[in-house]
Amino acid sequence: MITNFLYSFCGLFVFFMGFFALIACSHPLRKILAVNVMSTGVFLILVAGAYRPASVGDIDPVPHAMVLTGIVVSVSVTALALILACRVQETSNLSLLRPKSINGREESED
Amino acid sequence: MPILTRNRNNRKRLDPYLLLLFFFVACLVLWLGAILCSLPMGVPGLGKEVASLQQRSGVQSPVTAVLLNFRGYDTFLEVLVLLLAVIGVWSMTLAPFPSGEVEKSPVQLGVVRLLTPLMVLVGAYLVWQGSHLAGGAFQGGAVLGGAGVLLLVAELPWLRSVPSLPLRIALLAGPLVFFSVALYCLLRQGKFLAYPQDTAGAFLLIIETACALSIGVTLASLFAGGRPDDDLPETGTPSDPQGGRTE
């Protein structure tokens, strides 16, 4: 029982770390990463909820199936978002990858 | 310069809006944590129902049974989402291949030569294993996609001239096979995706094989980041072929 709670709370924290970054960071790459972290948290909560100790009985396969497809879908969504971000970078005059963005919240990278 | 950045960052961390946001998120964590605590843990869930219908699904693995039989509709739409993502990426740009010829390390080429057939084999094994153990179309497809990514990272010269028609067929194989099986079930059984009981296992294996191929090609072409060169030629807005599309 404690295992369920441990992993569920880990998932909750991971989700909200991503949520915080999604709002606080203005760089599109960071937003995409933040959404990925959030989805990881959701998967962790779902799988933790499906866990049963061996004595209780079988695992619940429905959340497992959902997470399984969700992982592949999140990868493809990330790829599409990255391409869109690159397209925005190419077509706009504004350089998104500049060390200091408009809000001035981005630290210098690379 | 790093010290200066850190100083600036330390000052930024006391941004009142960020603090407000932090408290808001902390409140949300506490609220949802309380909800998590109040959830009834250890309820049997749907495990018993799935186990009781396992015999009729045509496969022995409960996850595969849920994925392709009990919730087949859901999985079909998810395969379509993958296809949509590729359509989106392909409509955006041509695949950016580096123009300069780089000397490949023999170690890299040897690793690619060894690992690629092995990964294809593992992918096929995972698909086959999906009927009775952990595994299935998505895992096998992910391994196939990994093999494609390995080839792309090695920047083999023939990848540049991969024709687009076989790629399109491979991308469409999974959704098309899934849909035609569903239509066959509709005609035979009167219900969309209600497999006939005696041939359900064979149907699931066919769908899984086609979907694994499609998922693998999908992931690899998403990593390539654009359509192949002989697809629609680039028109309209001039774009820098090197322009930061290297993930």
Side-chain angles (χ1 to χ4, degrees), chain A residues 48-64:
Chain A
Y51 170 78
R52 302 278 174 278
S55 55
V56 174
D58 294 334
I59 54 142
D60 189 353
V62 178
H64 280 262

Side-chain angles (χ1 to χ4, degrees), chain A residues 1 4-5 9 12 16 23-24 52 60-62 65 68-69 72-73 76 80 83-84 86-87 90 104-106, chain B residues 8 12 15 18 21 28-29 32-33 37 41 43 45-46 67 78 82 92 138-139 222 237 239 243-245:
Chain A
M1 209 50 56
N4 291 22
F5 279 120
F9 278 111
L12 195 68
F16 276 109
I23 300 176
R52 302 278 174 278
D60 189 353
V62 178
L68 198 57
T69 50
V72 178
V73 168
S76 69
L80 187 57
I83 294 285
L84 283 174
C86 290
R87 199 66 181 161
E90 274 170 29
R105 189 152 295 150
E106 297 306 309
Chain B
R8 205 184 65 202
K12 284 295 172 205
D15 190 337
L18 275 189
L21 177 66
L28 274 180
V29 168
L32 277 185
C37 281
M41 283 287 176
V43 290
L46 291 171
L67 201 63
E78 264 156 340
L82 292 182
M92 220 65 80
F138 282 83
Q139 293 94 325
L222 284 177
T237 55
S239 70
R245 285 196 300 257

